[in-house]
Amino acid sequence: MKVTYPIRTDNGDEYLILIESFEKTVFPEEIISALGSIEIMDITLERLSGSQTTNLNVLFDISSFIAGFLNDNENVILYFYCDDMHEISRRNRSVTAQKFRSALFSKMFDRYIKSRNITGFFNTPLEIKADRDIYIHLISREEHCYLVEIIKNAIIGLASK
């Protein structure tokens, strides 16, 4: 499955949300078996053009699309990796771009869920200390939280090798 969602602002900035199937074969067979019919979907947020600070309307639109996708797809766990390939404008330069993206993602998604009185969706951030810090978010329905823990432990295990 592959879903794209473009966002264009009045000032000409363009963003793209891409949600596509995650390759489960990176996980051990017992995790693949535990997932059963649950699909892991990888979220990519990309800025296609523009250089202005991303405004709150765009962040709200991103959150709305992600929450809507999760709402419409009951057997899905979303996987979001905060990339370190692109610089991002931030006031505190001592915070890495990845850590900033992770905090921003949590705040925007959690704020959206709270503002809409949506219950049963959970954003589970994961921070891995390695040669560089890695930030991942697993977003799921409440009934899939036990699978999120299994995936989280597998990711931590893979990162430690």
Side-chain angles (χ1 to χ4, degrees):
M1 177 189 309
K2 187 174 185 176
V3 177
T4 59
Y5 181 72
I7 300 171
R8 290 177 184 83
T9 65
D10 293 338
N11 62 9
D13 290 351
E14 294 182 316
Y15 302 83
L16 181 68
I17 303 171
L18 172 65
I19 299 179
E20 60 186 328
S21 298
F22 183 89
E23 187 56 53
K24 287 195 265 188
T25 58
V26 300
F27 295 122
E29 185 56 43
E30 57 271 13
I31 293 174
I32 295 170
S33 179
L35 287 169
S37 64
I38 304 300
E39 189 168 5
I40 301 173
M41 302 296 291
D42 186 23
I43 302 172
T44 303
L45 303 176
E46 185 177 352
R47 183 180 209 141
L48 301 175
S49 67
S51 59
Q52 297 190 22
T53 302
T54 303
N55 69 45
L56 291 175
N57 290 336
V58 171
L59 296 175
F60 195 78
D61 201 6
I62 291 168
S63 298
S64 175
F65 178 73
I66 291 170
F69 182 86
L70 190 59
N71 189 55
D72 293 344
N73 295 277
E74 292 180 15
N75 290 322
V76 164
I77 295 172
L78 300 175
Y79 172 99
F80 175 60
Y81 169 80
C82 300
D83 82 68
D84 59 352
M85 296 174 17
H86 302 97
E87 197 51 46
I88 187 170
S89 176
R90 58 197 185 279
R91 288 187 192 118
N92 184 352
R93 303 301 284 177
S94 67
V95 173
T96 65
Q98 302 91 310
K99 186 171 186 166
F100 181 80
R101 280 186 177 94
S102 178
L104 179 61
F105 184 83
S106 284
K107 284 181 184 174
M108 73 177 196
F109 190 78
D110 294 345
R111 181 176 287 167
Y112 179 83
I113 296 298
K114 187 176 181 179
S115 73
R116 297 286 191 225
N117 294 318
I118 298 171
T119 59
F121 288 175
F122 291 89
N123 168 31
T124 304
L126 175 59
E127 179 180 357
I128 300 170
K129 299 285 187 183
D131 58 337
R132 62 180 175 37
D133 294 346
I134 299 169
Y135 298 87
I136 297 168
H137 293 260
L138 297 166
I139 304 142
S140 69
R141 294 172 178 275
E142 185 171 16
E143 61 264 25
H144 299 139
C145 284
Y146 75 99
L147 291 170
V148 166
E149 283 302 309
I150 292 170
I151 295 166
K152 183 173 134 180
N153 292 333
I155 292 170
I156 291 169
L158 290 170
S160 67
K161 292 183 179 181

